[in-house]
Amino acid sequence: MNRKKKIYEKLKKKDKRANAKLHKSNKPRYVSKADRAEQVDNTATQDNLSTELAE
């Protein structure tokens, strides 16, 4: 009984890992605080450039 249980648990763990790889998380990728600040600065400069060109 013990041997069967160990084999079954090993196979179940392998199936669980394979299934987890198929279903990726919908959670967005983490962006650090510094990167977010940099993105805000970049968008602000782009907005300024576009308004200057429009004038």
Side-chain angles (χ1 to χ4, degrees), residues 40-51:
V40 169
D41 289 341
N42 288 342
T43 55
T45 56
Q46 287 176 355
D47 290 341
N48 290 340
L49 290 175
S50 64
T51 55

Side-chain angles (χ1 to χ4, degrees), residues 1-24:
M1 182 66 187
N2 226 3
R3 190 180 326 138
K4 280 184 178 180
K5 185 179 177 184
K6 286 182 182 180
I7 292 169
Y8 179 72
E9 284 179 356
K10 203 178 247 189
L11 292 173
K12 197 161 79 169
K13 189 186 269 189
K14 187 177 179 182
D15 286 344
K16 192 174 182 180
R17 255 187 270 122
N19 197 27
K21 283 188 176 182
L22 290 175
H23 302 287
K24 296 291 181 187

